[in-house]
Short mmCIF file of all heavy atoms in Angstrom, two decimals:
data_model
loop_
_atom_site.label_atom_id
_atom_site.label_comp_id
_atom_site.label_asym_id
_atom_site.label_seq_id
_atom_site.Cartn_x
_atom_site.Cartn_y
_atom_site.Cartn_z
N ASP A 114 -22.89 -6.15 4.65
CA ASP A 114 -21.91 -6.34 5.71
C ASP A 114 -20.52 -5.97 5.18
O ASP A 114 -20.26 -6.07 3.98
CB ASP A 114 -21.87 -7.82 6.17
CG ASP A 114 -22.96 -8.13 7.18
OD1 ASP A 114 -23.76 -7.25 7.52
OD2 ASP A 114 -23.00 -9.30 7.64
N MET A 115 -19.63 -5.55 6.09
CA MET A 115 -18.29 -5.10 5.70
C MET A 115 -17.21 -5.95 6.36
O MET A 115 -17.37 -6.35 7.52
CB MET A 115 -18.05 -3.66 6.18
CG MET A 115 -19.07 -2.65 5.73
SD MET A 115 -18.75 -2.19 4.05
CE MET A 115 -19.98 -0.92 3.85
N GLY A 116 -16.13 -6.15 5.63
CA GLY A 116 -14.93 -6.77 6.19
C GLY A 116 -13.74 -5.89 5.83
O GLY A 116 -13.60 -5.51 4.67
N ARG A 117 -12.92 -5.55 6.81
CA ARG A 117 -11.79 -4.66 6.55
C ARG A 117 -10.46 -5.31 6.93
O ARG A 117 -10.34 -5.90 7.99
CB ARG A 117 -11.95 -3.36 7.34
CG ARG A 117 -13.10 -2.52 6.85
CD ARG A 117 -13.22 -1.20 7.61
NE ARG A 117 -14.57 -0.71 7.47
CZ ARG A 117 -15.57 -0.98 8.32
NH1 ARG A 117 -15.35 -1.71 9.38
NH2 ARG A 117 -16.78 -0.51 8.10
N LEU A 118 -9.50 -5.16 6.04
CA LEU A 118 -8.15 -5.65 6.25
C LEU A 118 -7.22 -4.46 6.12
O LEU A 118 -7.21 -3.78 5.09
CB LEU A 118 -7.82 -6.71 5.19
CG LEU A 118 -6.50 -7.45 5.35
CD1 LEU A 118 -6.49 -8.29 6.61
CD2 LEU A 118 -6.27 -8.34 4.13
N LYS A 119 -6.47 -4.19 7.18
CA LYS A 119 -5.66 -2.97 7.24
C LYS A 119 -4.18 -3.32 7.18
O LYS A 119 -3.71 -4.21 7.87
CB LYS A 119 -5.97 -2.23 8.54
CG LYS A 119 -5.31 -0.87 8.65
CD LYS A 119 -5.60 -0.21 9.99
CE LYS A 119 -7.01 0.33 10.00
NZ LYS A 119 -7.26 1.19 11.18
N LEU A 120 -3.47 -2.58 6.34
CA LEU A 120 -2.02 -2.71 6.24
C LEU A 120 -1.41 -1.49 6.92
O LEU A 120 -1.64 -0.36 6.50
CB LEU A 120 -1.58 -2.76 4.77
CG LEU A 120 -0.07 -2.71 4.51
CD1 LEU A 120 0.65 -3.88 5.16
CD2 LEU A 120 0.21 -2.67 3.03
N LEU A 121 -0.67 -1.74 8.00
CA LEU A 121 -0.02 -0.64 8.71
C LEU A 121 1.27 -0.27 7.98
O LEU A 121 2.08 -1.13 7.67
CB LEU A 121 0.29 -1.04 10.15
CG LEU A 121 -0.93 -1.45 10.98
CD1 LEU A 121 -0.52 -1.82 12.39
CD2 LEU A 121 -1.97 -0.34 11.01
N LEU A 122 1.42 1.02 7.70
CA LEU A 122 2.61 1.52 7.01
C LEU A 122 3.44 2.32 8.00
O LEU A 122 2.92 3.19 8.68
CB LEU A 122 2.21 2.43 5.85
CG LEU A 122 1.31 1.81 4.79
CD1 LEU A 122 0.85 2.86 3.81
CD2 LEU A 122 2.04 0.69 4.06
N THR A 123 4.71 2.02 8.07
CA THR A 123 5.57 2.77 8.97
C THR A 123 6.69 3.41 8.16
O THR A 123 7.03 2.94 7.07
CB THR A 123 6.19 1.84 10.04
OG1 THR A 123 6.82 0.75 9.39
CG2 THR A 123 5.13 1.32 10.99
N ASP A 124 7.23 4.46 8.67
CA ASP A 124 8.41 5.12 8.08
C ASP A 124 8.20 5.70 6.69
O ASP A 124 9.15 5.74 5.90
CB ASP A 124 9.61 4.15 8.05
CG ASP A 124 9.90 3.56 9.42
OD1 ASP A 124 9.68 4.27 10.41
OD2 ASP A 124 10.35 2.41 9.48
N LEU A 125 6.99 6.13 6.36
CA LEU A 125 6.83 6.83 5.08
C LEU A 125 7.27 8.28 5.28
O LEU A 125 6.93 8.91 6.27
CB LEU A 125 5.36 6.82 4.62
CG LEU A 125 4.77 5.47 4.23
CD1 LEU A 125 3.45 5.68 3.52
CD2 LEU A 125 5.71 4.67 3.35
N LYS A 126 8.04 8.78 4.33
CA LYS A 126 8.57 10.14 4.46
C LYS A 126 7.50 11.18 4.14
O LYS A 126 6.79 11.03 3.15
CB LYS A 126 9.76 10.33 3.52
CG LYS A 126 10.96 9.50 3.89
CD LYS A 126 12.13 9.80 2.96
CE LYS A 126 13.35 9.01 3.32
NZ LYS A 126 13.22 7.58 3.09
N PRO A 127 7.38 12.24 4.96
CA PRO A 127 6.45 13.32 4.61
C PRO A 127 6.87 14.01 3.32
O PRO A 127 8.04 13.97 2.96
CB PRO A 127 6.54 14.28 5.80
CG PRO A 127 7.40 13.65 6.81
CD PRO A 127 8.09 12.47 6.19
N LYS A 128 5.90 14.62 2.66
CA LYS A 128 6.13 15.36 1.42
C LYS A 128 6.81 14.48 0.36
O LYS A 128 7.72 14.92 -0.35
CB LYS A 128 6.95 16.62 1.69
CG LYS A 128 6.23 17.56 2.64
CD LYS A 128 6.91 18.91 2.73
CE LYS A 128 6.06 19.89 3.48
NZ LYS A 128 6.30 20.02 4.88
N SER A 129 6.35 13.25 0.26
CA SER A 129 6.85 12.31 -0.75
C SER A 129 5.67 11.72 -1.50
O SER A 129 4.54 11.75 -1.03
CB SER A 129 7.63 11.17 -0.10
OG SER A 129 8.69 11.65 0.67
N SER A 130 5.96 11.13 -2.66
CA SER A 130 4.93 10.43 -3.44
C SER A 130 5.21 8.93 -3.39
O SER A 130 6.36 8.51 -3.44
CB SER A 130 4.97 10.87 -4.90
OG SER A 130 4.68 12.23 -4.99
N TYR A 131 4.12 8.16 -3.33
CA TYR A 131 4.23 6.71 -3.35
C TYR A 131 3.17 6.17 -4.30
O TYR A 131 2.18 6.84 -4.61
CB TYR A 131 4.00 6.12 -1.96
CG TYR A 131 5.09 6.46 -0.98
CD1 TYR A 131 5.01 7.60 -0.19
CD2 TYR A 131 6.22 5.66 -0.86
CE1 TYR A 131 6.01 7.93 0.70
CE2 TYR A 131 7.23 5.98 0.03
CZ TYR A 131 7.12 7.12 0.81
OH TYR A 131 8.12 7.44 1.68
N CYS A 132 3.38 4.95 -4.74
CA CYS A 132 2.40 4.27 -5.58
C CYS A 132 2.06 2.94 -4.92
O CYS A 132 2.95 2.14 -4.63
CB CYS A 132 2.96 4.04 -6.98
SG CYS A 132 1.79 3.17 -8.05
N LEU A 133 0.77 2.72 -4.68
CA LEU A 133 0.29 1.45 -4.16
C LEU A 133 -0.24 0.64 -5.34
O LEU A 133 -1.12 1.10 -6.06
CB LEU A 133 -0.84 1.69 -3.14
CG LEU A 133 -1.42 0.44 -2.50
CD1 LEU A 133 -0.44 -0.15 -1.50
CD2 LEU A 133 -2.74 0.75 -1.82
N ILE A 134 0.35 -0.53 -5.56
CA ILE A 134 -0.06 -1.41 -6.66
C ILE A 134 -0.54 -2.71 -6.02
O ILE A 134 0.10 -3.23 -5.11
CB ILE A 134 1.11 -1.68 -7.62
CG1 ILE A 134 1.67 -0.37 -8.17
CG2 ILE A 134 0.67 -2.59 -8.77
CD1 ILE A 134 2.96 -0.51 -8.94
N PHE A 135 -1.67 -3.24 -6.49
CA PHE A 135 -2.20 -4.48 -5.93
C PHE A 135 -2.98 -5.24 -6.98
O PHE A 135 -3.44 -4.68 -7.97
CB PHE A 135 -3.10 -4.18 -4.72
CG PHE A 135 -4.24 -3.24 -5.01
CD1 PHE A 135 -5.50 -3.72 -5.32
CD2 PHE A 135 -4.03 -1.87 -4.99
CE1 PHE A 135 -6.54 -2.85 -5.61
CE2 PHE A 135 -5.07 -0.99 -5.26
CZ PHE A 135 -6.33 -1.49 -5.58
N SER A 136 -3.08 -6.55 -6.78
CA SER A 136 -3.92 -7.39 -7.63
C SER A 136 -5.25 -7.58 -6.93
O SER A 136 -5.28 -7.71 -5.70
CB SER A 136 -3.27 -8.76 -7.84
OG SER A 136 -2.01 -8.61 -8.46
N TYR A 137 -6.33 -7.60 -7.71
CA TYR A 137 -7.65 -7.82 -7.11
C TYR A 137 -8.52 -8.61 -8.07
O TYR A 137 -8.27 -8.65 -9.28
CB TYR A 137 -8.31 -6.48 -6.75
CG TYR A 137 -8.73 -5.67 -7.95
CD1 TYR A 137 -10.03 -5.76 -8.46
CD2 TYR A 137 -7.83 -4.83 -8.59
CE1 TYR A 137 -10.41 -5.02 -9.57
CE2 TYR A 137 -8.21 -4.10 -9.70
CZ TYR A 137 -9.50 -4.20 -10.19
OH TYR A 137 -9.87 -3.49 -11.29
N ARG A 138 -9.54 -9.23 -7.51
CA ARG A 138 -10.48 -9.99 -8.31
C ARG A 138 -11.86 -9.90 -7.67
O ARG A 138 -12.00 -10.08 -6.46
CB ARG A 138 -10.03 -11.44 -8.39
CG ARG A 138 -10.94 -12.31 -9.21
CD ARG A 138 -10.30 -13.64 -9.46
NE ARG A 138 -10.49 -14.50 -8.30
CZ ARG A 138 -10.38 -15.82 -8.35
NH1 ARG A 138 -10.01 -16.42 -9.46
NH2 ARG A 138 -10.57 -16.54 -7.28
N LEU A 139 -12.86 -9.59 -8.48
CA LEU A 139 -14.26 -9.66 -8.05
C LEU A 139 -14.89 -10.73 -8.93
O LEU A 139 -15.18 -10.48 -10.10
CB LEU A 139 -14.95 -8.31 -8.25
CG LEU A 139 -14.44 -7.23 -7.29
CD1 LEU A 139 -13.98 -6.01 -8.04
CD2 LEU A 139 -15.48 -6.87 -6.28
N ALA A 140 -15.03 -11.92 -8.38
CA ALA A 140 -15.55 -13.05 -9.15
C ALA A 140 -16.95 -13.39 -8.67
O ALA A 140 -17.18 -13.51 -7.47
CB ALA A 140 -14.62 -14.26 -8.99
N GLY A 141 -17.87 -13.56 -9.60
CA GLY A 141 -19.23 -13.93 -9.25
C GLY A 141 -20.20 -12.79 -9.47
O GLY A 141 -19.83 -11.62 -9.40
N GLU A 142 -21.45 -13.14 -9.74
CA GLU A 142 -22.47 -12.14 -10.01
C GLU A 142 -22.92 -11.47 -8.71
O GLU A 142 -23.15 -12.15 -7.71
CB GLU A 142 -23.66 -12.83 -10.68
CG GLU A 142 -24.62 -11.85 -11.31
CD GLU A 142 -25.74 -12.58 -12.07
OE1 GLU A 142 -25.51 -13.71 -12.52
OE2 GLU A 142 -26.82 -11.99 -12.18
N LYS A 143 -23.01 -10.16 -8.72
CA LYS A 143 -23.45 -9.38 -7.56
C LYS A 143 -22.64 -9.71 -6.31
O LYS A 143 -23.19 -9.84 -5.22
CB LYS A 143 -24.94 -9.59 -7.31
CG LYS A 143 -25.80 -9.11 -8.45
CD LYS A 143 -27.27 -9.28 -8.16
CE LYS A 143 -28.09 -8.79 -9.33
NZ LYS A 143 -29.34 -9.47 -9.50
N VAL A 144 -21.32 -9.87 -6.46
CA VAL A 144 -20.47 -10.29 -5.35
C VAL A 144 -20.28 -9.17 -4.32
O VAL A 144 -20.06 -9.44 -3.15
CB VAL A 144 -19.11 -10.83 -5.87
CG1 VAL A 144 -18.23 -9.71 -6.39
CG2 VAL A 144 -18.39 -11.63 -4.82
N GLY A 145 -20.37 -7.92 -4.74
CA GLY A 145 -20.22 -6.82 -3.79
C GLY A 145 -19.23 -5.78 -4.28
O GLY A 145 -19.02 -5.63 -5.47
N LYS A 146 -18.62 -5.06 -3.33
CA LYS A 146 -17.71 -3.97 -3.67
C LYS A 146 -16.39 -4.15 -2.95
O LYS A 146 -16.34 -4.66 -1.83
CB LYS A 146 -18.29 -2.62 -3.23
CG LYS A 146 -19.51 -2.21 -4.00
CD LYS A 146 -20.02 -0.87 -3.54
CE LYS A 146 -21.28 -0.51 -4.31
NZ LYS A 146 -21.99 0.61 -3.73
N LEU A 147 -15.32 -3.68 -3.59
CA LEU A 147 -14.01 -3.62 -2.97
C LEU A 147 -13.60 -2.15 -2.97
O LEU A 147 -13.66 -1.49 -4.01
CB LEU A 147 -12.99 -4.45 -3.76
CG LEU A 147 -11.54 -4.39 -3.26
CD1 LEU A 147 -11.42 -4.93 -1.85
CD2 LEU A 147 -10.62 -5.14 -4.21
N ARG A 148 -13.23 -1.64 -1.80
CA ARG A 148 -12.81 -0.25 -1.67
C ARG A 148 -11.45 -0.19 -1.00
O ARG A 148 -11.11 -1.07 -0.21
CB ARG A 148 -13.80 0.54 -0.82
CG ARG A 148 -15.18 0.63 -1.36
CD ARG A 148 -16.05 1.53 -0.46
NE ARG A 148 -17.43 1.44 -0.83
CZ ARG A 148 -18.31 0.62 -0.26
NH1 ARG A 148 -17.95 -0.17 0.73
NH2 ARG A 148 -19.56 0.59 -0.66
N VAL A 149 -10.73 0.89 -1.27
CA VAL A 149 -9.45 1.14 -0.60
C VAL A 149 -9.53 2.51 0.05
O VAL A 149 -9.93 3.49 -0.58
CB VAL A 149 -8.26 1.07 -1.58
CG1 VAL A 149 -6.95 1.34 -0.84
CG2 VAL A 149 -8.22 -0.28 -2.28
N PHE A 150 -9.16 2.57 1.33
CA PHE A 150 -9.13 3.81 2.09
C PHE A 150 -7.70 4.08 2.55
O PHE A 150 -6.98 3.15 2.90
CB PHE A 150 -10.00 3.71 3.35
CG PHE A 150 -11.47 3.59 3.07
CD1 PHE A 150 -12.05 2.36 2.84
CD2 PHE A 150 -12.28 4.72 3.06
CE1 PHE A 150 -13.41 2.24 2.59
CE2 PHE A 150 -13.64 4.61 2.81
CZ PHE A 150 -14.21 3.37 2.57
N LEU A 151 -7.32 5.36 2.59
CA LEU A 151 -6.06 5.75 3.20
C LEU A 151 -6.39 6.36 4.56
O LEU A 151 -7.40 7.03 4.71
CB LEU A 151 -5.34 6.79 2.33
CG LEU A 151 -4.96 6.31 0.93
CD1 LEU A 151 -4.30 7.43 0.15
CD2 LEU A 151 -4.05 5.09 0.99
N ALA A 152 -5.53 6.14 5.54
CA ALA A 152 -5.82 6.53 6.92
C ALA A 152 -6.11 8.01 7.09
O ALA A 152 -6.93 8.38 7.89
CB ALA A 152 -4.67 6.13 7.83
N ASN A 153 -5.45 8.87 6.32
CA ASN A 153 -5.67 10.31 6.50
C ASN A 153 -6.85 10.84 5.69
O ASN A 153 -7.15 12.01 5.71
CB ASN A 153 -4.40 11.10 6.19
CG ASN A 153 -3.91 10.87 4.78
OD1 ASN A 153 -4.49 10.09 4.03
ND2 ASN A 153 -2.83 11.52 4.41
N LYS A 154 -7.54 9.95 4.95
CA LYS A 154 -8.72 10.35 4.17
C LYS A 154 -9.86 9.39 4.50
O LYS A 154 -10.33 8.65 3.66
CB LYS A 154 -8.42 10.27 2.67
CG LYS A 154 -7.14 10.94 2.25
CD LYS A 154 -7.37 11.86 1.09
CE LYS A 154 -6.16 12.53 0.52
NZ LYS A 154 -5.05 12.80 1.35
N LYS A 155 -10.28 9.40 5.75
CA LYS A 155 -11.21 8.39 6.25
C LYS A 155 -12.59 8.40 5.59
O LYS A 155 -13.24 7.39 5.50
CB LYS A 155 -11.41 8.58 7.75
CG LYS A 155 -10.28 8.01 8.58
CD LYS A 155 -10.79 7.67 9.96
CE LYS A 155 -9.74 7.34 10.97
NZ LYS A 155 -8.57 6.70 10.57
N THR A 156 -13.05 9.57 5.15
CA THR A 156 -14.44 9.66 4.72
C THR A 156 -14.72 8.97 3.40
O THR A 156 -15.69 8.23 3.30
CB THR A 156 -14.85 11.14 4.61
OG1 THR A 156 -13.88 11.81 3.81
CG2 THR A 156 -14.91 11.78 5.98
N ALA A 157 -13.92 9.18 2.40
CA ALA A 157 -14.21 8.63 1.07
C ALA A 157 -13.12 7.66 0.65
O ALA A 157 -11.95 7.86 0.92
CB ALA A 157 -14.32 9.76 0.06
N PRO A 158 -13.52 6.60 -0.05
CA PRO A 158 -12.50 5.68 -0.57
C PRO A 158 -11.68 6.36 -1.66
O PRO A 158 -12.19 7.22 -2.38
CB PRO A 158 -13.32 4.52 -1.15
CG PRO A 158 -14.68 5.04 -1.38
CD PRO A 158 -14.88 6.18 -0.42
N VAL A 159 -10.41 5.98 -1.78
CA VAL A 159 -9.56 6.52 -2.83
C VAL A 159 -9.66 5.65 -4.09
O VAL A 159 -9.19 6.02 -5.15
CB VAL A 159 -8.08 6.65 -2.38
CG1 VAL A 159 -7.95 7.73 -1.32
CG2 VAL A 159 -7.52 5.32 -1.91
N TRP A 160 -10.28 4.47 -3.93
CA TRP A 160 -10.42 3.53 -5.04
C TRP A 160 -11.62 2.64 -4.74
O TRP A 160 -11.85 2.28 -3.60
CB TRP A 160 -9.14 2.69 -5.14
CG TRP A 160 -9.07 1.77 -6.31
CD1 TRP A 160 -8.52 2.02 -7.53
CD2 TRP A 160 -9.54 0.41 -6.36
NE1 TRP A 160 -8.63 0.91 -8.32
CE2 TRP A 160 -9.25 -0.08 -7.63
CE3 TRP A 160 -10.19 -0.42 -5.43
CZ2 TRP A 160 -9.57 -1.38 -8.01
CZ3 TRP A 160 -10.52 -1.70 -5.81
CH2 TRP A 160 -10.20 -2.18 -7.09
#
């Protein structure tokens, strides 16, 4: 099963670079997967 939490980004300048930094934790045996997707690259996770 999947759960998705989306952060809407507004006012990002075109032709610019950004860095997304976040803290994460996968605690427990066989807990599952955490993926990050960017809106313009829907098919594959970037992380």
Side-chain angles (χ1 to χ4, degrees):
D114 277 2
M115 305 282 185
R117 292 182 202 91
L118 186 65
K119 186 182 284 190
L120 172 60
L121 301 180
L122 302 172
T123 53
D124 306 327
L125 293 193
K126 293 183 179 68
K128 299 190 170 93
S129 303
S130 297
Y131 292 90
C132 179
L133 181 73
I134 303 171
F135 56 96
S136 300
Y137 69 95
R138 181 169 81 161
L139 291 126
E142 195 175 333
K143 297 182 180 150
V144 72
K146 293 181 182 167
L147 176 62
R148 297 184 191 95
V149 180
F150 293 87
L151 299 178
N153 58 358
K154 311 230 184 330
K155 281 205 191 327
T156 52
V159 292
W160 186 92

